[in-house]
Amino acid sequence: MVKYKCSHCGKIYDPKTLVFRCDCGGMLDLEKFDFTFSKKDILKNEWSLFRYLKALPFDRKFNLWKDITMGEGLTPIVTLEKDNPNLLVKVDYAMPTLSFKDRGAAVLISKVKELGIKKVIQDSSGNAGNSIAAYASRAGIDCDIYVPEGTSLKKIKQISSHGAKVYVVKGTREDTAKAALKAAENKEGFYASHVYNPFFYQGTKTYAYEIYEQLNGKIPENVVIPVGNGTLLLGCYYGFKELFDLKLIEKMPKIIAVQAKGCAPIYKAFKEGKDFVDEVINTGTSADGIAIANPMRGKQILEAVRKTDGEIIIAPENKIEETRKYLAEKGFYVEPTTAATFAGFFKYYNENKSSIKGKIIIPLCGAGLKKD
Ligand SMILES: *Cc1c(COP(=O)(O)O)cnc(C)c1O
Ligand SMILES: [Zn+2]
């Protein structure tokens, strides 16, 4: 089985030990695993993201995922506006639990099942909790989910419906993360965190593989991604990097990351030229899905964006509701965090039209119906 490697000190761990971070405090990555992959390796008759199984960190004999997958992935790519063929959206809320987190959860919970784990713990602002709860239930694994107070009641109801126990934590999103971490340290269950566990990013990397397959290898020059903890951003970066190293694509797309105005620690570090992220105070935003004041993988996110010659931009708070209406006019009813991604991009686009070259792809990450 592929091993963990500390992103800070390089120490190697076997996932069977159930560690979730290095003794030095560093975040765990996956050790590089060798695989070959090309178009002909896509499992054309598998209608889920496991059609890219050859690029995923599972043994060839491993097939527990077959009972766990819900057909996640393979989300549509369409144009948003009829006069603008360069602006593509990927409808990533068209997933079993209505957000892109199913990509990560399908792969992580498959790995958890392979490891023989009986109970998982996770914390989230909502969507990741929905996802982990659903896949854990399907896999016959017990599940505790920690959410911050103020989380949409619909999301809480959805999490409970899958049989997971929901702990609503008083205080900030960071207090919620601390509570889950403490439970994991007390060995109440395996910390199946979308932020900490590197297998989650192996799922989100299929976002890039799908774009590659669906657009016939002609990937857009610009990939816009919302960023809080960076699970889609990093997965997307790993995916495109692999395709690039395999010589399946000629160029890395620029990653344009979007943060919320009221909580933008990565944007701040980027603009200040720092290579690490300092915690900020969340001064409030309706884009709660990206309001992460202390992103644990901030350093890696900065590195990924800079390596693609990318950019980090801010979503104007006063345009979020208006943009949500606009997207609904175009047929897409999304949650405010997704509207924020587009609000941020539209502002940036209007100010930098001349310097943005080629096509752009933006994900519709979360469905609007999940909000109260
Ligand atoms: C989780 C989530 C995000 C942000 O993802 P990160 O991994 O925190 O960067 C953005 N939009 C929606 C709808 C989400 O559920
Ligand atoms: Zn370490």
Side-chain angles (χ1 to χ4, degrees), residues 57-289:
F58 293 109
D59 290 338
R60 297 322 311 271
K61 295 190 298 282
F62 175 76
N63 59 12
L64 287 171
W65 61 269
K66 288 187 178 168
D67 300 327
I68 294 171
T69 181
M70 289 192 269
E72 58 293 314
L74 298 175
T75 57
I77 296 176
V78 293
T79 50
L80 184 67
E81 301 155 333
K82 68 175 182 324
D83 312 331
N84 192 353
N86 279 340
L87 179 57
L88 304 173
V89 298
K90 189 156 170 59
V91 195
D92 243 36
Y93 68 69
M95 292 267 186
T97 79
L98 309 181
S99 85
F100 81 81
K101 301 293 195 314
D102 289 356
R103 293 186 183 279
V107 170
L108 173 54
I109 294 297
S110 294
K111 185 53 78 170
V112 163
K113 191 74 184 170
E114 187 185 8
L115 289 166
I117 290 161
K118 300 281 185 281
K119 181 175 174 183
V120 292
I121 294 172
Q122 202 252 15
D123 57 287
S124 133
S125 64
N127 288 336
N130 283 163
S131 234
I132 293 288
Y135 282 89
S137 177
R138 195 164 164 82
I141 294 165
D142 290 339
C143 182
D144 287 354
I145 303 284
Y146 291 71
V147 297
E149 57 179 348
T151 298
S152 148
L153 291 176
K154 285 185 182 167
K155 290 184 181 177
I156 292 177
K157 220 168 152 180
Q158 190 185 351
I159 295 170
S160 315
S161 77
H162 297 300
K165 202 160 169 194
V166 183
Y167 293 89
V168 179
V169 181
K170 281 214 166 60
T172 63
R173 173 69 183 86
E174 282 58 48
D175 294 325
T176 305
K178 278 177 202 149
L181 209 63
K182 202 166 151 209
E185 273 162 359
N186 290 340
K187 307 248 183 290
E188 288 169 32
F190 175 67
Y191 192 32
S193 163
H194 58 301
V195 185
Y196 281 80
N197 196 292
F199 287 110
F200 194 91
Y201 301 77
Q202 293 296 311
T204 52
K205 87 178 183 189
T206 60
Y207 185 77
Y209 279 76
E210 274 177 32
I211 292 174
Y212 164 75
E213 183 186 4
Q214 289 170 308
L215 301 181
N216 243 322
K218 291 190 197 62
I219 56 151
E221 286 78 357
N222 307 282
V223 177
V224 177
I225 308 271
V227 63
N229 278 308
T231 65
L232 183 58
L233 187 144
L234 288 172
C236 184
Y237 174 74
Y238 299 148
F240 283 122
K241 181 74 172 48
E242 286 170 2
L243 294 168
F244 180 75
D245 289 344
L246 289 161
K247 300 196 165 47
L248 296 172
I249 60 174
E250 277 164 25
K251 230 180 116 189
M252 288 291 284
K254 266 185 208 283
I255 294 180
I256 301 171
V258 186
Q259 290 231 277
K261 186 148 192 293
C263 191
I266 308 171
Y267 170 81
K268 184 166 180 284
F270 187 78
K271 291 295 171 193
E272 289 171 357
K274 291 192 177 144
D275 65 358
F276 58 92
V277 174
D278 287 321
E279 182 167 358
V280 297
I281 290 168
N282 179 354
T283 57
T285 169
S286 59
D288 54 350

